[in-house]
Amino acid sequence: MASSDTNSQLTTAMRRALKRADDGKTLDPAEAEVLLSATGDALTALMATAARVRDQGLADAGRPGIITFSKKVFVPLTQLCRDRCHYCTFATTPGRVHAPYLSPDEVLEIARQGAALGCKEALFTLGDAPEERWDAARQWLDEAGYDSTLDYVRAMAVRVLEETGLLPHLNPGVMSWQDLQRLKPVAPSMGMMLETTSRRLFEEKGQPHFGSPDKDPAVRLRVLEDAGRSNVPFTTGLLIGIGENLAERADSIFALRKIARQYNGIQEVIIQGFRVKPDTAMRNDADVPLDEWLAAIAVTRIVLGPRVRVQAPPNLVDLAECRALLDAGVDDFGGVSPLTPDHVNPERPWPMIDDLAKVTADAGFTLRERLTAHPEYLREPWLDPRLISHVEALVDPATGLANEDAKPVGRPWQEPDGGWDSVGRTDLHTAIDTEGRRTETRSDFDAAYGDWDVVREDVAARRAAGTSLPIDASALPLGGAAPARIDAEVKAALAAAERDPAGLSDAQALTLMTVTGPALDELARIADNLRKATVGDDVTYVVNRNINFTNVCYTGCRFCAFAQRRTDADAYSLSMDEVANRAEEAWAIGATEVCMQGGIHPDLPGTAYADLVRAVKDRVPEMHVHAYSPMEIVNGSVRTGLSIEEFLISVKEAGLDSIPGTAAEILDDDVRWILTKGKLPTASWIEVITTAHKVGLPSSSTMMYGHVDAPHHWVQHLRTIAAVQDQTGGFTEFVLLPFIHQNSPIYLAGVARPGPTYDENRAVHAMARIMLHGRIDNIQCSWVKLGVDGCVAVLNGGVNDIGGTLMEETISRMAGSKHGSRKSISELTAMATAAGRPARQRTTTYGEVPSRPSLELA
């Protein structure tokens, strides 16, 4: 009786889920789990719905009825791997291969043969970081002159581009954010199978991923997210039937859906059925049943929707069964090779392309060849400019698919010709309106920032969990009336701050970060006493000029109103000569520093960073050049092929004196990925800063707050800054940057709140002085963001520095700052006087300034 009831409930649940799917309703994981068990008539109905979704997606993409594949060669660069997956026959041991890696000649021979047969893609397949497990792999790399497997992958991708014209698709396994930056310029697309989100299969002894560090689902999901943030077209997918249950399978599909929606970077999802192989730990398991595989394909298609391409390998079924794959909603057959076997499933030969085309035609479709990246990804920001000529040689411009008559020919892979001065430019001051704001939104607004609905959902979930601030500042505890008294908890925290400023606990720091009224006044008094004891009463400033040499950027920071596409009317790039002219003008009127920063321009040669410094130093040898955020330094490192340390040494040798510790925002990745989408992660920011300090380049440090963050993030950010300073001692100052919301995309999209409150500004500046006491002596406020009154308030609460004269500060102006872009020395002095303090000019590193005239700034 109980079994009958269960079957009845399952039938009812299946019927309901099928109807919701057929009606186009959004499924939840429980409904997807039900549909994954479909067989018989239920499976037929499920597949029919999936096919309709697929057909709509093809129509929306402008290619109705077109099923795609990529004609490729497979390059098994190494079959060594540090993982021990229980179903894998690709990975082997050093004793079973003739060499740990294919040689360059072997790689090129495969690619040349493929090019001769009309292939257009070279798919690099390899194991994860074999040098971490196998001494033979490490020795081979050392002898060949490569630091890592990924370095060798990059070098071979360049050789294939230059000598054969095939387009590399890279599948090197788990990659870091920086790995993706380094590999993106050499490959139009990359990939890594998610396989499953089941932690059970990873953590439990005897399960297929146990003992395989790169199969941690959290690690693999991070790679997919980092690829999306980095605008890398990415192929991923699931391996069906390796021991996961239906709930875990559904969870995996929804994990892919979330990332695909958030970043739009998943170009295709492969649903691959498990095939039993001899000589593996899973040799006694069974192949995944065809119906189960088809249900997984169909559910994936329905859950992911029409935009994402869904692929199933045609060699894993008999040719006649390829029709069933199409009926289940597949719109791509992936890579098919006329030359090389499927090295992951070598027992399953590829179908002949003509035979596959006939099956496709019998199903009412046309089979067309595509390139390694799908058509919608063959443009910036997805495609690196250094690959444009290679892609243009092989693409059909009318469809974005492959030009099937094109034959790959090797062509140079290099930095853009002509250096930085060959980049198109417009004058800085014609690109903004009279109030300093941009005149229009960037033309790729949606593509640049990702799916705002998903971002809103993420932030809403964080607000519900209490991990970020509400949009409405009036809802904050800080926004209420000031309390009439100071409670015991606050008193205890204030006493601790006065007794041992740098020794506050996190709980005490968080309490003080959120005080208001009399408690806030007391906090400011404590901070100001520390300031006086540490640096005295002088309010310091530097006479400087900001030079934002380009506003073209493809990073996709959601808070930034500065960045533009290079084709936008508001885009500009200054020439080397213009940068040098501005530095010379600044020197002539008394400046001792130029601060140079710019967007991540797709045409920016890596050598431009050093060249810009040289241009200034050649014109004004005594000018202190304070330049390049950690994001720019990573970009320069990637573009030059140098390590971060080598790159920093190269720009230092060119004349760079110090770097700004910008691009920090909030040093918490959960906040960063909402706020910035594609900017460097916290660990990379720390790596750049600590390396700069190591090579003798001091830096400032910053925090931008009051957007989607919360007070506990401010506490942890300060802890991180303190830890870096304890390690290196290289920070010259800490700069607080309140969020300017007016033109910010993340505010306009209804995600961020409109900046911090007045009380928050006072508290954050005071807490910076207290928590960094004994580590960083100089706490700076931003008059551009706070205005005169705001600066006077925080000067009475721990701040000793008001930054610089700037002369121009395009980034804040474009964000909507109302406080101008230039201050004279007399105006800065008046600000200090209003706070009851004397003003004193300083150098960038807080030294004494030799006497020089500064008449125009007086």
Side-chain angles (χ1 to χ4, degrees):
M1 185 69 175
S3 175
S4 176
D5 287 345
T6 300
N7 290 336
S8 174
Q9 290 169 5
L10 181 61
T11 301
T12 301
M14 179 69 73
R15 186 183 302 113
R16 181 180 182 276
L18 285 169
K19 185 174 188 314
R20 284 181 55 79
D22 190 55
D23 290 343
K25 302 291 179 61
T26 299
L27 301 178
D28 62 28
E31 292 166 332
E33 181 183 348
V34 170
L35 293 175
L36 286 166
S37 68
T39 58
D41 291 344
L43 178 58
T44 300
L46 176 67
M47 292 167 61
T49 297
R52 286 197 301 274
V53 175
R54 180 265 322 280
D55 293 345
Q56 182 61 55
L58 293 176
D60 292 344
R63 49 181 186 274
I66 301 295
I67 303 298
T68 50
F69 77 102
S70 178
K71 195 173 183 181
K72 66 178 71 174
V73 292
F74 289 74
V75 181
L77 197 65
T78 179
Q79 289 186 255
L80 304 182
C81 184
R82 68 174 174 178
D83 295 324
R84 297 174 171 85
C85 299
H86 295 189
Y87 47 77
C88 181
T89 57
F90 176 75
T92 186
T93 62
R96 295 185 176 182
V97 290
H98 75 280
Y101 296 84
L102 294 183
S103 70
D105 287 344
E106 290 171 317
V107 170
L108 291 171
E109 180 59 24
I110 294 170
R112 289 189 184 107
Q113 290 183 34
L117 293 172
C119 296
K120 298 177 180 64
E121 175 183 342
L123 169 59
F124 284 74
T125 56
L126 56 150
D128 275 86
E131 66 271 32
E132 299 296 327
R133 178 181 176 189
W134 301 109
D135 290 341
R138 168 49 61 198
Q139 181 179 348
W140 191 97
L141 290 169
D142 289 343
E143 291 174 354
Y146 297 100
D147 290 336
S148 67
T149 297
L150 291 184
D151 279 348
Y152 188 49
V153 169
R154 188 180 193 274
M156 290 303 97
V158 172
R159 290 285 299 274
V160 166
L161 286 164
E162 291 196 320
E163 300 190 35
T164 74
L166 293 186
L167 302 176
H169 175 88
L170 307 181
N171 275 358
V174 167
M175 293 171 277
S176 69
W177 180 90
Q178 285 181 238
D179 294 333
L180 289 162
Q181 315 309 307
R182 184 151 169 72
L183 293 176
K184 177 177 177 176
V186 304
S189 60
M190 300 182 219
M192 182 201 69
M193 294 287 282
L194 172 62
E195 298 191 4
T196 178
T197 56
S198 171
R199 296 206 63 81
R200 178 177 60 85
L201 300 189
F202 171 68
E203 294 173 343
E204 293 183 9
K205 189 173 183 179
Q207 295 297 336
H209 288 160
F210 184 78
S212 299
D214 298 293
K215 293 305 174 75
D216 184 338
V219 170
R220 298 178 87 77
L221 287 169
R222 190 215 70 223
V223 174
L224 301 187
E225 292 171 345
D226 283 350
R229 294 175 186 123
S230 302
N231 296 318
V232 172
F234 215 72
T235 296
T236 188
L238 306 180
L239 182 54
I240 301 300
I242 57 172
E244 79 284 5
N245 59 43
L246 295 185
E248 291 167 334
R249 195 174 296 172
D251 180 77
S252 301
I253 295 170
F254 275 83
L256 291 178
R257 174 181 178 269
K258 178 181 179 182
I259 295 171
R261 288 184 60 203
Q262 189 160 6
Y263 302 109
N264 298 327
I266 294 180
Q267 66 164 357
E268 59 187 346
V269 171
I270 304 169
I271 304 301
Q272 182 169 330
F274 168 69
R275 306 276 311 192
V276 175
K277 296 176 177 61
D279 300 323
T280 68
M282 295 178 67
R283 60 186 175 274
N284 295 321
D285 287 35
D287 290 352
V288 65
L290 179 60
D291 280 3
E292 191 173 334
W293 186 20
L294 294 174
I297 293 170
V299 172
T300 300
R301 161 57 68 206
I302 292 167
V303 170
L304 266 60
R307 195 191 67 81
V308 178
R309 310 277 74 86
V310 174
Q311 176 195 131
N315 63 315
L316 296 188
V317 292
D318 296 334
L319 189 62
E321 293 172 327
C322 286
R323 170 63 186 265
L325 302 180
L326 292 170
D327 290 343
V330 161
D331 53 18
D332 187 84
F333 282 126
V336 178
S337 179
L339 176 67
T340 52
D342 177 354
H343 291 281
V344 176
N345 298 283
E347 77 283 4
R348 301 294 304 183
W350 299 109
M352 299 296 290
I353 292 173
D354 287 346
D355 293 339
L356 192 60
K358 184 178 185 306
V359 170
T360 305
D362 290 345
F365 297 94
T366 302
L367 186 67
R368 283 287 308 274
E369 183 184 355
R370 61 166 172 85
L371 301 182
T372 176
H374 287 264
E376 50 268 53
Y377 295 96
L378 297 177
R379 60 177 184 267
E380 296 173 2
W382 304 103
L383 184 67
D384 189 278
R386 283 163 285 189
L387 297 170
I388 290 174
S389 65
H390 295 82
V391 168
E392 287 179 343
L394 301 176
V395 73
D396 173 5
T399 64
L401 299 172
N403 176 355
E404 296 185 5
D405 295 327
K407 298 296 183 184
V409 176
R411 61 193 67 242
W413 177 93
Q414 59 188 15
E415 299 284 5
D417 292 335
W420 179 240
D421 281 346
S422 68
V423 176
R425 59 168 296 277
T426 60
D427 184 77
L428 173 68
H429 297 294
T430 63
I432 53 179
D433 68 17
T434 56
E435 294 184 358
R437 296 187 296 265
R438 64 183 187 183
T439 56
E440 59 182 54
T441 60
R442 62 183 292 161
S443 58
D444 62 343
F445 190 86
D446 292 330
Y449 304 118
D451 190 316
W452 285 112
D453 287 339
V454 178
V455 178
R456 291 186 194 98
E457 291 170 9
D458 195 357
V459 174
R462 295 178 189 283
R463 289 194 184 107
T467 58
S468 66
L469 291 172
I471 291 176
D472 182 3
S474 67
L476 290 165
L478 304 182
R485 59 184 180 81
I486 303 175
D487 65 29
E489 181 181 4
V490 174
K491 281 184 178 179
L494 288 168
E498 191 155 31
R499 181 177 63 253
D500 182 15
L504 285 175
S505 69
D506 285 352
Q508 290 168 331
L510 184 58
T511 294
L512 295 180
M513 199 70 83
T514 57
V515 294
T516 188
L520 179 55
D521 293 338
E522 178 64 9
L523 180 69
R525 183 194 66 78
I526 293 169
D528 216 42
N529 286 342
L530 284 175
R531 181 271 307 160
K532 185 179 181 72
T534 302
V535 293
D537 282 333
D538 285 352
V539 174
T540 52
Y541 64 89
V542 63
V543 179
N544 67 347
R545 181 171 196 169
N546 274 21
I547 304 176
N548 302 126
F549 54 87
T550 182
N551 71 341
V552 177
C553 188
Y554 285 87
T555 300
C557 293
R558 296 182 176 120
F559 67 87
C560 182
F562 172 73
Q564 297 284 287
R565 296 181 73 188
R566 60 179 168 179
T567 55
D568 288 345
D570 287 352
Y572 73 83
S573 298
L574 304 179
S575 69
M576 294 280 181
D577 198 50
E578 288 170 311
V579 170
N581 287 344
R582 290 174 187 228
E584 189 172 27
E585 291 168 2
W587 180 261
I589 57 176
T592 60
E593 171 199 304
V594 289
C595 177
M596 299 194 302
Q597 296 182 94
I600 306 302
H601 196 303
D603 291 337
L604 184 77
T607 55
Y609 293 106
D611 291 342
L612 284 165
V613 174
R614 287 192 192 95
V616 172
K617 287 290 190 176
D618 287 348
R619 192 74 64 84
V620 194
E622 295 178 80
M623 183 71 82
H624 183 108
V625 178
H626 181 66
Y628 309 138
S629 71
M631 183 70 196
E632 292 173 280
I633 290 164
V634 169
N635 187 51
S637 167
V638 166
R639 289 182 176 274
T640 58
L642 300 172
S643 70
I644 287 173
E645 181 172 355
E646 291 167 338
F647 177 78
L648 284 165
I649 290 171
S650 73
V651 287
K652 183 183 179 187
E653 290 174 346
L656 184 66
D657 298 296
S658 62
I659 69 171
T662 50
E665 281 74 62
I666 293 291
L667 294 174
D668 177 284
D669 283 342
D670 284 344
V671 174
R672 292 179 74 76
W673 297 139
I674 294 171
L675 190 65
T676 70
K677 181 181 177 261
K679 218 164 200 178
L680 75 175
T682 296
S684 297
W685 188 92
I686 293 171
E687 179 186 0
V688 171
I689 289 293
T690 55
T691 305
H693 295 172
K694 173 185 173 183
V695 304
L697 287 169
S699 77
S700 60
S701 53
T702 63
M703 181 174 80
M704 186 181 75
Y705 62 97
H707 31 76
V708 295
D709 49 355
H712 72 270
H713 295 123
W714 308 338
V715 171
Q716 291 309 312
H717 183 103
L718 287 165
R719 294 284 192 225
T720 300
I721 294 295
V724 172
Q725 186 72 338
D726 287 344
Q727 177 185 345
T728 70
F731 287 133
T732 56
E733 65 204 328
F734 184 69
V735 187
L736 283 305
L737 303 170
F739 174 56
I740 301 296
H741 70 283
Q742 280 87 346
N743 295 336
S744 176
I746 198 168
Y747 173 74
L748 297 176
V751 178
R753 68 184 182 113
T757 65
Y758 177 81
D759 280 358
E760 285 175 322
N761 285 328
R762 291 183 65 200
V764 168
H765 284 77
M767 287 301 294
R769 168 62 67 188
I770 290 167
M771 292 182 67
L772 298 176
H773 179 64
R775 294 183 170 100
I776 300 177
D777 289 344
N778 302 296
I779 307 299
Q780 182 186 122
C781 65
S782 170
W783 58 259
V784 175
K785 299 176 185 296
L786 286 176
V788 173
D789 291 343
C791 281
V792 169
V794 297
L795 282 169
N796 287 315
V799 168
N800 69 294
D801 189 80
I802 49 178
T805 53
L806 298 185
M807 304 187 200
E808 63 195 49
E809 209 288 303
T810 313
I811 295 174
S812 290
R813 282 193 291 162
M814 285 187 170
S817 170
K818 303 296 186 182
H819 302 301
S821 59
R822 171 185 175 127
K823 289 285 186 214
S824 67
I825 291 173
S826 59
E827 287 174 309
L828 294 178
T829 300
M831 200 182 306
T833 300
R837 310 248 295 279
R840 175 175 59 83
Q841 185 182 348
R842 60 167 173 86
T843 65
T844 304
T845 54
Y846 288 80
E848 295 293 330
V849 179
S851 178
R852 289 183 58 231
S854 53
L855 299 178
E856 294 188 35
L857 284 173

Short mmCIF file of all heavy atoms in Angstrom, two decimals, residues 214 265 309 479 504 562 653 677 760 788:
data_model
loop_
_atom_site.label_atom_id
_atom_site.label_comp_id
_atom_site.label_asym_id
_atom_site.label_seq_id
_atom_site.Cartn_x
_atom_site.Cartn_y
_atom_site.Cartn_z
N ASP A 214 41.69 18.61 -7.13
CA ASP A 214 41.10 19.54 -8.10
C ASP A 214 39.64 19.25 -8.37
O ASP A 214 39.00 19.98 -9.12
CB ASP A 214 41.90 19.49 -9.40
CG ASP A 214 43.34 19.91 -9.20
OD1 ASP A 214 43.56 21.09 -8.89
OD2 ASP A 214 44.23 19.05 -9.29
N GLY A 265 29.09 34.02 -19.08
CA GLY A 265 30.35 33.55 -19.63
C GLY A 265 30.37 32.08 -19.99
O GLY A 265 31.33 31.62 -20.62
N ARG A 309 24.08 27.30 -24.89
CA ARG A 309 24.17 26.15 -25.78
C ARG A 309 24.38 24.90 -24.94
O ARG A 309 25.14 24.89 -23.97
CB ARG A 309 25.33 26.31 -26.76
CG ARG A 309 25.36 27.64 -27.50
CD ARG A 309 24.44 27.65 -28.71
NE ARG A 309 23.04 27.74 -28.39
CZ ARG A 309 22.38 28.90 -28.20
NH1 ARG A 309 23.01 30.05 -28.24
NH2 ARG A 309 21.09 28.90 -27.96
N GLY A 479 21.16 55.57 11.48
CA GLY A 479 20.32 56.65 10.99
C GLY A 479 19.31 57.16 12.00
O GLY A 479 18.61 58.13 11.77
N LEU A 504 42.30 46.09 19.91
CA LEU A 504 40.85 45.88 19.98
C LEU A 504 40.47 44.51 19.43
O LEU A 504 41.02 44.05 18.43
CB LEU A 504 40.12 46.94 19.16
CG LEU A 504 40.00 48.35 19.73
CD1 LEU A 504 39.33 49.25 18.71
CD2 LEU A 504 39.21 48.35 21.03
N PHE A 562 33.43 55.67 -14.79
CA PHE A 562 34.55 56.19 -15.57
C PHE A 562 34.76 55.40 -16.85
O PHE A 562 35.06 55.94 -17.90
CB PHE A 562 35.79 56.14 -14.67
CG PHE A 562 37.10 56.46 -15.34
CD1 PHE A 562 37.41 57.76 -15.69
CD2 PHE A 562 38.03 55.46 -15.57
CE1 PHE A 562 38.64 58.06 -16.28
CE2 PHE A 562 39.26 55.75 -16.14
CZ PHE A 562 39.56 57.05 -16.51
N GLU A 653 62.63 50.28 -12.70
CA GLU A 653 63.83 50.66 -13.44
C GLU A 653 63.54 51.76 -14.45
O GLU A 653 64.41 52.57 -14.78
CB GLU A 653 64.43 49.44 -14.13
CG GLU A 653 65.04 48.44 -13.15
CD GLU A 653 65.51 47.16 -13.82
OE1 GLU A 653 65.12 46.93 -15.00
OE2 GLU A 653 66.24 46.39 -13.17
N LYS A 677 32.68 42.66 -10.32
CA LYS A 677 32.58 41.60 -11.33
C LYS A 677 33.92 41.02 -11.71
O LYS A 677 34.23 39.90 -11.42
CB LYS A 677 31.83 42.07 -12.58
CG LYS A 677 31.69 40.98 -13.65
CD LYS A 677 30.97 41.48 -14.87
CE LYS A 677 30.91 40.40 -15.95
NZ LYS A 677 31.93 40.58 -16.97
N GLU A 760 28.80 57.57 9.69
CA GLU A 760 29.68 56.48 9.26
C GLU A 760 31.03 57.02 8.82
O GLU A 760 32.08 56.44 9.14
CB GLU A 760 29.03 55.71 8.11
CG GLU A 760 27.91 54.80 8.56
CD GLU A 760 27.22 54.14 7.38
OE1 GLU A 760 27.03 54.79 6.34
OE2 GLU A 760 26.85 52.96 7.53
N VAL A 788 34.57 69.96 1.74
CA VAL A 788 35.31 70.67 2.79
C VAL A 788 34.76 70.36 4.17
O VAL A 788 35.49 70.02 5.10
CB VAL A 788 35.28 72.19 2.52
CG1 VAL A 788 35.89 72.95 3.70
CG2 VAL A 788 36.03 72.52 1.23
#
